[in-house]
Amino acid sequence: MEPDEDLGQIADGIYANGDENTQRHRPIISSEQLDIEAYAALYSGRTKITRLLFIAGRCGNASMQLEALRMAYDEIKKGENTQLFREVVQKIDGSLGTTYGPDPAWADSVDRRAELRKEKLENELNAYRTNLIKESIRMGYNDFGDFYYAHGQLGEAFKNYVRTRDYCTTAKHIIHMCLNAILVSIEMGQFTHVTSYVSKAEQSQDALDVVTVAKLRCAAGLAHLEAKKYKLAARKFLEVGPELGNNYTEVIAPQDVATYGGLCALASFDRAELKSKVIDNINFRNFLELVPEIRELIHDFYTSHYASCLEYLGNLKANLLLDIHLHDHVETLYDQIRNKALIQYTHPFVSVDLNMMANAFKTSVPGLEKELEALITDNQIQARIDSHNKILYARHADQRNATFQRVLQTGKEFDRDVRSMLLRANLLKHEYILRTSRKH
Amino acid sequence: MNLNMNSMESLVAQIQGLSSNASDIAQLHNFLKQSEELLHSDFTRLLSSLAELDPSIHSLGFLYILEACMSFPVAKEQVNELIVSVARFINSCAAEQIRVAPDKFISVCKRFKDQVILLEAPIRGVAPMLTAVRKLQSSSEQLTTLHADFLLLCILAKCYKTGISVLEDDIYETDQPRDFFLYCYYGGMVCIGQKQFRKALELLHNVVTAPMSTLNAIAVEAYKKYILVSLIHLGQFSTSFPKYTSSVAQRNLKTYSQPYLELSNSYGTGKISELETLVQTNKEKFETENNLGLVMQVVSSMYKRNIQRLTQTYLTLSLQDIANTVQLRGPKEAEMHVLQMIEDGEIFATINQKDGMVRFLEDPEQYKTCGMIEHIDSSIKRLMVLSKKLTSMDELMSCDPMYLGKVGRERQRFEFDDFDSVPQKFTI
């Protein structure tokens, strides 16, 4: 019996696979709670605050929440955003002692200074406008943009940054304008603006410097991620150059590039692409070194150590859910990665023993059956399950029979369509005759 | 009175004399039209004069007198006698004579149908009406006004098989839209009765997509049934209309059939419990619209659909598991369902009662038998005839002066130089 031999060989392979998994077991890091301090240190500017607030709102852990709020409070005090300050104070609600109370004196003085500054800026801008000096007007609007951004009025900031466009004289100015617009749009969550300003910046005649290119790639990647175009997002993140370094911390940390890019690539690339674009990509390897878990799980996935890969993913999940950009997509990405793993596992075999497969995926047989069922119904795996003997058999479509079926079906449809067409034509004809006869 | 008597007698004499050849018939027809008034004045004399005529020879005269007879209110005790004589007339009359006065014949048949329904014995009208339809038709492609009445009697008498025999002819020639709507609607119901859902779907589809300038009740009811039959037969329903559907139908039909659309939405989710609660909440509405039976069939078709889906994914599956996934009460019920489906040829499977396992097999049809080849051959021939018909129709239409006139007029409003494509309105 040939199938039996096949089965024997496969069993060997799978057992080897499974055994290795247990041997390779190594402590997995990052399953512990997120280190907020270290996390916050990766970012700067407004995104640091919003990320901290996001964590505070999501983590569901009182001490962690207060820690995040405390750091957000400190960070805001360095800036001028009184609106956000009041919100945070309300959230803290006195639970961090008097040092973290509503500081009306500070807030008022900031507000007063802001009023003055705004007046000054307005006067300056008016003066520039009467003199019609392009460069000064641009600067004026830009200052206004900076001012509004610092005070948290993102909509106004965006408007002013965009206004500078008419007064840009060099390619450099345009890039500057685009980067400002992108920054504000990301903060506002307006990712369609991000895409359009990224493409505008990329069209610039002058050769862009490497850091700017890296920044634009990151922004484009984020926009694609937000639009659920994971494959495109992965491509963008993989193209980010190592020059990015810590130059774009007001939006994204290099660690994030590795995480976002790695997960999107796993979920959307096939094996060959994964190998050539991720594993053999020297640039990206630098990023992966920053997040060893992601590096390991990508390698595990590629070398078919699915259990270990899924374990890494499981451990990372809690922290990824606290990421301001990734949280919405974690479930989808995880599902896609898991499905990909299942499909890849079954692909080379004629028949697969479900017990061994469940073992390799660290799940139960009935659970695995359900997952496989969904994939088969979706037509992602061409196979059928022998639920009695717990074996999955690959299914080979019979082209000839399928063709016959399709031909007969098409014939029937044609028959039906033509007949109803003739009928409708006659009815229309009748209606037309009726109308003309009524007219006369 | 005396004069009447005389002229009645002379009329009968005329009929007896002028029933032999075509020119005589034409003359008689004129004569009969002139004496219409006379015919409608005296009822008692009419019946006796009928006795003097032979329906198979003097069909036209008989028809006129019979029509006059039936225009009078008939006493209860006479109804029976009248029905018998009409049935006899329909069976024995000469087709070429009655086609001279089709409206008279139709009116007689319609009254006959009404009387039969009043008597609550629709089955008595089925056979005569079938004969009437056949005699009135000049070709099997023509739709007569009597088609709808005949199908209605079939439905009332539950003689679906007889109804199907008429529906098997392809109808192309039709002049009254109302007849066509009713024919398709009743035809759809007859096919549902015989569980020929494919044919039913086709007929109901014709009603829904027929060109219409105002919405009519027949189309609304047909749309409801169309949704249900589509769910039973295809397991899905697409709410978008084909683009040739009239705009009136596209705009309005959905608003009149909300519960049915909800039903189809819930069917799409594949959850039987959800579907059943929906049916319960709308039960009264379905019942008053006489669709409850079909709705129940929709529910049971969902079980089948779910079992069929399992055959795609599983090679073997225990009855218990089937019962669980399809939400049946137990393995026993699952076994009954599977058995029924195997019998109906809806799935290919074997049940192992010892282990309580079902083994799903592939479709054994290999498309190699002589029968299959013959079937394919005949299909090809039929389709060729059809497409020839389509071409000739197209040619006919493109030569039709009225059509060209209209097209030319409409075209000028838009573009002068583009005379090739057919305008939007006429794409069918």
Side-chain angles (χ1 to χ4, degrees):
Chain A
M1 286 287 278
E2 229 180 64
D4 278 351
E5 268 172 45
D6 270 351
L7 221 68
Q9 283 167 9
I10 292 157
D12 285 348
I14 294 166
Y15 276 135
N17 202 345
D19 287 344
E20 213 180 323
N21 274 341
T22 48
Q23 282 162 14
R24 278 163 36 97
H25 193 76
R26 64 172 93 76
I28 286 179
I29 340 153
S30 88
S31 61
E32 71 259 25
Q33 237 182 40
L34 186 70
D35 180 354
I36 299 180
E37 195 136 3
Y39 178 78
L42 294 174
Y43 304 98
S44 66
R46 197 185 143 85
T47 193
K48 185 169 180 176
I49 302 165
T50 45
R51 275 169 194 264
L52 283 169
L53 290 179
F54 185 80
I55 291 173
R58 283 263 178 167
C59 67
N61 172 333
S63 68
M64 196 166 166
Q65 189 183 356
L66 285 180
E67 172 75 4
L69 285 175
R70 188 179 61 76
M71 291 174 64
Y73 184 95
D74 288 341
E75 193 61 31
I76 294 169
K77 268 264 175 111
K78 290 180 203 162
E80 298 175 311
N81 194 344
T82 49
Q83 175 74 25
L84 204 56
F85 178 73
R86 291 194 185 96
E87 274 171 33
V88 171
V89 167
Q90 203 181 0
K91 271 187 192 149
I92 294 174
D93 202 15
S95 51
L96 280 170
T98 45
T99 6
Y100 291 97
D103 189 344
W106 177 81
D108 287 346
S109 77
V110 169
D111 281 346
R112 247 193 325 278
R113 255 184 288 139
E115 276 307 312
L116 290 175
R117 172 126 179 87
K118 195 174 168 190
E119 235 164 74
K120 188 171 155 252
L121 284 173
E122 262 165 19
N123 288 337
E124 278 176 15
L125 186 64
N126 282 335
Y128 297 147
R129 287 229 295 237
T130 43
N131 292 335
L132 278 176
I133 308 166
K134 259 196 163 185
E135 175 59 14
S136 304
I137 299 176
R138 190 186 73 84
M139 294 291 284
Y141 277 126
N142 208 34
D143 287 343
F144 249 115
D146 290 342
F147 170 77
Y148 281 125
Y149 181 68
H151 289 271
Q153 284 159 285
L154 298 175
E156 289 295 317
F158 184 75
K159 256 189 236 160
N160 279 295
Y161 282 137
V162 172
R163 254 179 222 151
T164 63
R165 189 177 161 187
D166 298 337
Y167 306 98
C168 289
T169 41
T170 66
K172 213 169 174 176
H173 291 158
I174 293 180
I175 303 279
H176 187 240
M177 181 274 293
C178 287
L179 281 177
N180 280 332
I182 290 168
L183 176 66
V184 181
S185 315
I186 290 176
E187 292 283 338
M188 290 196 293
Q190 301 277 354
F191 284 91
T192 41
H193 287 317
V194 176
T195 326
S196 61
Y197 282 100
V198 166
S199 57
K200 197 163 283 166
E202 278 170 349
Q203 279 162 12
S204 149
Q205 288 97 351
D206 292 16
L208 300 168
D209 64 291
V210 277
V211 179
T212 314
V213 173
K215 282 181 180 179
L216 291 176
R217 293 275 184 281
C218 289
L222 280 179
H224 284 311
L225 177 69
E226 217 57 43
K228 296 191 163 57
K229 292 172 185 158
Y230 300 122
K231 196 160 193 167
L232 295 173
R235 293 224 173 106
K236 288 290 173 199
F237 284 122
L238 292 174
E239 284 171 11
V240 174
E243 299 81 6
L244 181 76
N246 287 327
N247 289 323
Y248 208 30
T249 49
E250 65 267 32
V251 170
I252 196 169
Q255 279 84 346
D256 292 339
V257 175
T259 318
Y260 298 170
L263 290 181
C264 288
L266 269 191
S268 56
F269 284 3
D270 60 29
R271 251 176 99 77
E273 215 173 358
L274 196 67
K275 172 83 175 149
S276 64
K277 290 202 173 135
V278 184
I279 296 172
D280 292 346
N281 183 337
I282 300 162
N283 266 346
F284 197 66
R285 199 178 290 165
N286 292 327
F287 286 107
L288 281 178
E289 290 304 322
L290 297 170
V291 196
E293 296 93 333
I294 298 284
R295 183 195 61 199
E296 284 308 312
L297 75 86
I298 289 175
H299 280 278
D300 280 340
F301 187 89
Y302 187 71
T303 48
S304 308
H305 298 124
Y306 299 114
S308 143
C309 167
L310 294 173
E311 201 176 337
Y312 273 120
L313 282 174
N315 288 327
L316 282 172
K317 192 170 180 182
N319 289 349
L320 293 181
L321 280 173
L322 293 179
D323 188 281
I324 197 163
H325 293 301
L326 206 60
H327 67 102
D328 259 351
H329 310 282
V330 171
E331 291 296 341
T332 345
L333 286 173
Y334 270 41
D335 284 348
Q336 284 186 14
I337 293 173
R338 191 176 174 87
N339 289 345
K340 260 212 144 63
L342 287 169
I343 294 166
Q344 265 185 29
Y345 187 97
T346 56
H347 190 70
F349 300 123
V350 175
S351 58
V352 181
D353 188 322
L354 290 183
N355 288 312
M356 290 180 213
M357 187 166 171
N359 193 23
F361 279 88
K362 294 269 187 309
T363 172
S364 65
V365 173
L368 182 67
E369 244 177 63
K370 282 274 163 291
E371 281 181 83
L372 287 173
E373 192 192 316
L375 285 172
I376 296 171
T377 323
D378 245 22
N379 211 16
Q380 299 208 49
I381 296 181
Q382 279 74 40
R384 282 166 79 186
I385 304 167
D386 183 342
S387 160
H388 186 46
N389 302 314
K390 302 294 174 205
I391 293 173
L392 182 77
Y393 287 102
R395 184 185 202 179
H396 297 286
D398 188 329
Q399 295 272 359
R400 184 174 173 277
N401 284 359
T403 312
F404 268 103
Q405 260 173 15
R406 216 173 44 240
V407 166
L408 285 173
Q409 182 65 25
T410 315
K412 269 184 205 157
E413 277 165 20
F414 179 78
D415 186 9
R416 192 192 61 207
D417 291 349
V418 168
R419 272 188 290 133
S420 57
M421 207 190 313
L422 287 170
L423 256 177
R424 278 199 305 280
N426 269 325
L427 282 172
L428 276 177
K429 197 165 134 195
H430 162 79
E431 194 196 27
Y432 185 61
I433 294 167
L434 202 73
R435 259 193 218 153
T436 43
S437 61
R438 226 181 270 153
K439 239 182 258 167
H440 297 304
Chain B
M1 193 67 193
N2 210 10
L3 187 81
N4 260 352
M5 290 277 277
N6 281 340
S7 39
M8 200 54 144
E9 266 149 21
S10 71
L11 188 70
V12 170
Q14 284 275 7
I15 292 171
Q16 282 166 336
L18 291 169
S19 288
S20 47
N21 59 45
S23 61
D24 282 353
I25 294 285
Q27 205 187 332
L28 178 64
H29 191 210
N30 280 333
F31 181 70
L32 284 167
K33 269 195 241 168
Q34 283 158 14
S35 40
E36 195 109 22
E37 206 178 311
L38 166 75
L39 282 170
H40 284 92
S41 56
D42 188 4
F43 178 63
T44 42
R45 186 70 188 87
L46 285 172
L47 275 180
S48 59
S49 59
L50 273 182
E52 293 166 39
L53 296 169
D54 181 346
S56 60
I57 305 168
H58 315 117
S59 301
L60 187 63
F62 201 98
L63 176 63
Y64 264 82
I65 297 176
L66 197 59
E67 201 263 338
C69 266
M70 293 185 88
S71 63
F72 289 99
V74 192
K76 261 240 163 89
E77 48 280 8
Q78 277 176 312
V79 168
N80 218 358
E81 193 190 328
L82 194 65
I83 287 176
V84 173
S85 59
V86 174
R88 199 178 301 133
F89 166 70
I90 289 176
N91 275 328
S92 51
C93 68
E96 59 276 10
Q97 284 197 33
I98 54 131
R99 266 185 233 146
V100 175
D103 45 338
K104 292 280 166 202
F105 186 66
I106 288 168
S107 126
V108 166
C109 288
K110 279 197 184 286
R111 292 231 173 79
F112 169 67
K113 177 206 79 177
D114 294 341
Q115 295 296 345
V116 168
I117 293 174
L118 271 181
L119 266 188
E120 293 180 351
I123 199 158
R124 291 177 65 183
V126 172
M129 279 300 266
L130 178 60
T131 323
V133 166
R134 293 293 181 218
K135 285 198 170 160
L136 190 61
Q137 272 182 326
S138 51
S139 83
S140 68
E141 292 181 358
Q142 192 195 16
L143 181 75
T144 65
T145 312
L146 293 180
H147 271 89
D149 298 313
F150 163 66
L151 290 172
L152 177 62
L153 284 181
C154 286
I155 295 169
L156 290 174
K158 298 197 164 52
C159 296
Y160 303 129
K161 256 203 182 120
T162 330
I164 294 274
S165 69
V166 165
L167 291 168
E168 271 161 2
D169 301 331
D170 295 331
I171 295 288
Y172 299 115
E173 289 163 39
T174 159
D175 46 6
Q176 283 297 324
R178 186 172 171 277
D179 294 342
F180 171 73
F181 279 109
L182 277 177
Y183 163 77
C184 287
Y185 178 63
Y186 289 144
M189 283 167 72
V190 167
C191 289
I192 292 170
Q194 273 296 81
K195 294 221 188 296
Q196 294 198 11
F197 291 121
R198 201 172 62 81
K199 181 84 185 164
L201 208 56
E202 190 185 316
L203 286 163
L204 293 173
H205 179 88
N206 284 343
V207 180
V208 175
T209 59
M212 52 180 122
S213 46
T214 46
L215 196 67
N216 58 62
I218 306 170
V220 173
E221 290 306 312
Y223 187 63
K224 291 172 183 169
K225 288 199 164 53
Y226 182 63
I227 297 175
L228 295 176
V229 175
S230 172
L231 289 177
I232 295 172
H233 185 59
L234 306 171
Q236 60 188 32
F237 176 73
S238 145
T239 47
S240 59
F241 291 94
K243 66 173 187 300
Y244 45 73
T245 316
S246 63
S247 54
V248 191
Q250 296 203 20
R251 249 180 286 130
N252 298 318
L253 281 180
K254 280 181 189 165
T255 44
Y256 289 101
S257 26
Q258 270 314 318
Y260 297 88
L261 290 170
E262 280 170 30
L263 196 74
S264 90
N265 279 342
S266 132
Y267 194 96
T269 62
K271 294 194 186 93
I272 201 96
S273 50
E274 210 172 283
L275 190 73
E276 267 171 351
T277 44
L278 195 74
V279 170
Q280 281 306 319
T281 45
N282 289 319
K283 194 169 182 180
E284 236 166 73
K285 187 158 171 59
F286 291 140
E287 205 159 13
T288 49
E289 288 175 0
N290 288 329
N291 283 328
L292 192 62
L294 267 181
V295 171
M296 287 335 234
Q297 287 192 49
V298 169
V299 175
S300 71
S301 85
M302 190 163 190
Y303 286 112
K304 284 187 186 172
R305 199 71 51 192
N306 285 343
I307 293 178
Q308 251 166 356
R309 199 168 295 142
L310 290 177
T311 65
Q312 297 299 310
T313 43
Y314 285 99
L315 217 53
T316 61
L317 196 63
S318 71
L319 286 167
Q320 183 62 50
D321 282 345
I322 292 180
N324 289 347
T325 27
V326 187
Q327 296 177 16
L328 290 167
R329 267 187 290 281
K332 205 77 213 148
E333 206 177 315
E335 190 178 335
M336 287 319 295
H337 267 93
V338 172
L339 195 66
Q340 189 60 47
M341 288 178 75
I342 297 174
E343 266 177 14
D344 296 347
E346 287 166 300
I347 55 170
F348 306 97
T350 50
I351 302 176
N352 181 347
Q353 280 191 320
K354 199 173 103 235
D355 303 337
M357 291 301 273
V358 180
R359 186 171 185 83
F360 297 120
L361 310 167
E362 295 276 352
D363 185 353
E365 177 64 67
Q366 289 295 311
Y367 301 95
K368 281 174 188 162
T369 56
C370 290
M372 181 49 75
I373 290 166
E374 261 168 40
H375 172 65
I376 292 172
D377 197 47
S378 70
S379 299
I380 293 173
K381 278 188 186 137
R382 203 183 61 241
L383 292 183
M384 279 163 66
V385 172
L386 255 181
S387 67
K388 255 187 213 139
K389 206 178 175 78
L390 190 66
T391 324
S392 68
M393 174 112 175
D394 185 43
E395 277 168 11
L396 223 95
M397 198 179 262
S398 49
C399 301
D400 188 336
M402 260 201 296
Y403 167 76
L404 287 176
K406 190 176 165 67
V407 172
R409 236 181 299 133
E410 279 190 355
R411 185 62 54 72
Q412 270 170 5
R413 247 177 282 151
F414 307 112
E415 274 166 68
F416 282 102
D417 46 0
D418 178 289
F419 266 82
D420 282 330
S421 66
V422 180
Q424 202 69 51
K425 211 173 169 192
F426 277 78
T427 44
I428 35 177

